[in-house]
Structure formats: C-alpha cells, structure tokens
C-alpha cells in the first residue's frame, strides 16, 4: 500500500497551482530546496515521476492520479476541521479550483461565488476555458468542478444540468450599413467580417455552416478574447457575433443592436460536473451554483 505524507501532497498541489518550485516555496513559506526534497520523496513513495520539470511545471499521467488524490484530501480535511469546530486550517483558506466558460463567468456564475463573500476559510481559483474544454481540467484533476456543455460525467464525477444559455446573432446598425448593404440578413454575411472569442470558439462557425450548407467560414475574422470586449466590439460595429441574452437583450430593445434575419437562436445547455465526493464544501458550492443558474439560465 502506498502511503503519502500530508506535507508532500500539499507541496504537489502548490507546485502545480503556482507553476514553479520557487513560487510553491513562497506559498508554503519554505525554501525551494525543501520543495524539491518533498517532491523527490513523494515520487519515491509513488514509484513514478509525478511532475515534468518544465515552465510551468506539468504533471505526468501518474502525477494526475496523485494530484486528484491530494485535492480530494484537502476538501475532506476542511470538512473535518469544520466538524471539529476549527475556524481555520493549516496553511490558510482552502483554495477550490473550478473551471468555468467565459460567458458564464461574465454573466451569472459570479453570483454563486458572491454568496461566500462573508467567509474567510474558502477562496476560489477560477480557470477559464471554452465550455467544451473545461471538462478536460476536471478529468486531469486540476479542478474539483467545472461548468461544461458536456452532459456525460467523467470518471469519478457527477453531472447536473444547470439550464441553457441562449445566443442570438446580432450586429450594430452601423455595421449593417457598412458591410451588409443596409440589410441585416444572414445571406449577406458570406464576406462580411465577424468575431470569434478565440480559436476554440465554434459558435459563429456553427451558425455559419448551418446557413451556407456546411461550408467553412471564409470571411475576415477578428479575435476578441474577453467577454466584455467581445460584446463591445459587436456593438461598436467591428463584426457580427453571437451574444447571450444577458448581454444583448437590452441593446436589442433599445436599437443599439439588431438581429441578423434568417438565423435561429442557439441554445447552449450547461452542466455542473464535480467530483463524486462526500464533501460539505463541494455541496455548498454546488447549491450556490445551481441557485445562480436557476435565476439566469433557461430551463
């Protein structure tokens, strides 16, 4: 039976979260040499190399297994401390890593986190990624929970449907005049500039392929990798794009934005996947996330 020491597991988490041995040492208030010694002892106990000495430090396949174990023990430790009536825990507050897609983070997810504002024993480490890719962070053990568009739970996790975000294809009146010949219709977008969040963003491509019969986008494309600036770019006439209701409903009503005729709304279902671990902390966060989703997302 493999036995790991608590301090060694804490060190592994710190090394992965901080990215370097030096940064992990600063977080743990020990020397970089002590971090290196702990990591060597942990790898000897595991009988395998656990981390890649790169910048930032990465995990091997064996390292991912041990990392998941370490994070789960952290959660259980917090639950135990609370049951024993301890106000805090060694090393400070628990840092809970969660993966969230950018649009959720910008529109509704933060409301869930704000319910924990009075507490000092829990801090959040939010990892932002595309909704189709956040699940990889959960699978790898880098996060304890994720907002994802994938319903099927990964191994060792449970999945709960949160609701759906509705996206509309919109543009500004100035854009219609400059690029669509005065008619806000999808048949005019073939060569008109559009917006993508980043190179993982497939929403605009999905709509375009549906409109033009499966062909790939050939039009000029802008990349705007922040949610707020993406919406500002659409309203400013830089290109057309798909915006969630939370970012375009008021602007459509006021006339600041117009819908592209001939397009259908895209409903993106979202799910909350978390470790299937009996953890009071995870249960509380899950309840808060579900409540925030009920208040903002479509059923």
């Amino acid at each position: 039976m493999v036995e790991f020491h608590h301090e060694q597991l804490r060190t592994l988490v710190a090394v992965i979260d901080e990215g370097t041995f030096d940064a992990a040492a600063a977080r743990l208030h020990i020397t970089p040499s002590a971090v290196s010694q702990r990591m060597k002892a942990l790898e000897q106990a595991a009988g395998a190399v656990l981390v890649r000495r790169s910048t930032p430090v990465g995990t091997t396949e064996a390292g991912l297994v041990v990392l998941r174990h370490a994070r789960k023990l952290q959660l259980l430790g917090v639950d135990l401390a609370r049951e024993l009536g301890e106000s805090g825990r060694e090393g400070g507050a628990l840092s809970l890593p969660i993966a969230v897609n950018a649009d959720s983070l910008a529109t509704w997810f933060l409301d869930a986190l704000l319910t924990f504002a009075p507490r000092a024993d829990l801090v959040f480490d939010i990892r932002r990624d595309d909704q189709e890719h956040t699940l990889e962070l959960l699978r790898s053990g880098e996060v304890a929970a994720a907002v994802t568009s994938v319903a099927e739970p990964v191994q060792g996790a449970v999945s709960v449907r949160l609701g759906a975000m509705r996206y509309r294809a919109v543009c500004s009146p100035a854009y219609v005049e400059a690029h669509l010949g005065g008619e806000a219709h999808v048949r005019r977008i073939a060569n008109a500039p559009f917006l993508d969040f980043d190179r993982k963003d497939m929403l605009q491509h999905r709509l375009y392929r549906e409109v033009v019969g499966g062909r790939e986008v050939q039009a000029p494309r802008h990349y705007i990798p922040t949610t707020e600036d993406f919406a500002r770019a659409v309203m400013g006439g830089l290109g057309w794009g798909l915006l969630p209701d939370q970012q375009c409903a008021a602007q459509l009503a006021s006339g600041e934005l117009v819908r592209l005729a001939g397009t259908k709304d895209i409903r993106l279902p979202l799910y909350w996947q978390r470790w299937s671990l009996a953890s009071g902390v995870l249960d509380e966060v899950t309840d808060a996330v579900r409540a925030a989703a009920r208040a903002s997302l479509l059923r």
Side-chain angles (χ1 to χ4, degrees):
M1 178 179 176
V2 179
E3 292 187 5
F4 299 121
H5 293 290
H6 170 68
E7 291 302 327
Q8 295 169 356
L9 293 173
R10 282 187 63 217
T11 302
L12 172 63
V13 171
V15 165
I16 297 304
D17 285 350
E18 301 300 327
T20 68
F21 281 31
D22 287 348
R27 168 169 156 176
L28 297 172
H29 306 292
I30 59 177
T31 66
S33 176
V35 169
S36 181
Q37 290 171 8
R38 288 182 183 181
M39 288 305 305
K40 288 179 181 178
L42 183 62
E43 290 179 326
Q44 287 173 354
V49 175
L50 301 180
V51 299
R52 298 189 302 271
R53 272 66 172 178
S54 55
T55 303
V57 173
T59 55
T60 63
E61 288 298 317
L64 292 178
V65 175
V66 179
L67 180 62
R68 282 194 294 269
H69 175 69
R71 291 200 190 280
K72 289 176 181 179
L73 285 182
Q74 281 188 324
L75 279 172
L76 293 175
V78 171
D79 290 331
L80 177 60
R82 294 174 65 187
E83 288 184 30
L84 294 174
E86 298 179 16
S87 58
R89 59 190 300 275
E90 183 182 0
L94 170 70
S95 177
L96 187 66
I98 301 173
V100 186
N101 62 306
D103 287 344
S104 290
L105 187 59
T107 56
W108 66 270
F109 189 82
L110 188 60
D111 292 339
L113 305 188
L114 293 179
T115 63
F116 296 90
R119 293 176 52 170
D121 63 333
L122 177 64
V123 295
F124 296 100
D125 180 2
I126 301 300
R127 317 289 177 89
R128 190 186 67 184
D129 208 336
D130 185 83
Q131 62 274 354
E132 295 179 2
H133 296 269
T134 51
L135 206 56
E136 292 305 315
L137 297 175
L138 180 63
R139 182 179 288 110
S140 71
E142 292 186 53
V143 300
V147 176
T148 174
S149 59
V150 180
E152 184 68 23
V154 299
Q155 184 177 5
V158 293
S159 177
V160 177
R161 191 178 192 278
L162 295 173
M165 294 190 77
R166 179 168 57 192
Y167 289 79
R168 303 177 188 274
V170 297
C171 59
S172 71
Y175 175 87
V176 174
E177 296 301 321
H179 298 285
L180 304 182
E183 183 184 7
H185 198 284
V186 72
R187 63 172 171 260
R188 293 182 173 268
I189 69 171
N191 298 305
F194 71 103
L195 302 174
D196 267 345
F197 183 84
D198 57 23
R199 284 162 178 80
K200 296 179 181 178
D201 183 6
M202 291 290 107
L203 283 179
Q204 282 72 220
H205 296 254
R206 173 177 161 186
L207 180 142
Y208 188 92
R209 285 195 297 268
E210 290 175 356
V211 169
V212 300
R215 296 201 309 276
E216 291 297 323
V217 181
Q218 300 297 325
R221 176 187 324 174
H222 302 283
Y223 293 104
I224 310 292
T226 67
T227 302
E228 296 83 357
D229 290 334
F230 185 99
R232 284 184 57 204
V234 173
M235 287 190 287
L238 199 60
W240 69 268
L242 284 148
L243 293 179
D245 282 347
Q246 294 90 338
Q247 288 186 307
C248 69
Q251 290 79 6
L252 286 169
S254 68
E256 294 177 83
L257 291 175
V258 296
R259 294 187 61 182
L260 281 174
T263 60
K264 296 179 180 179
D265 297 339
I266 291 180
R267 291 172 66 106
L268 180 69
L270 293 176
Y271 301 85
W272 174 249
Q273 292 208 30
R274 50 159 283 191
W275 290 335
S276 54
L277 184 70
S279 165
V281 172
L282 265 183
D283 289 344
E284 290 181 55
V285 174
T286 295
D287 290 342
V289 169
R290 296 183 71 178
R294 282 195 299 270
S296 184
L297 302 182
L298 301 176
R299 303 316 300 161

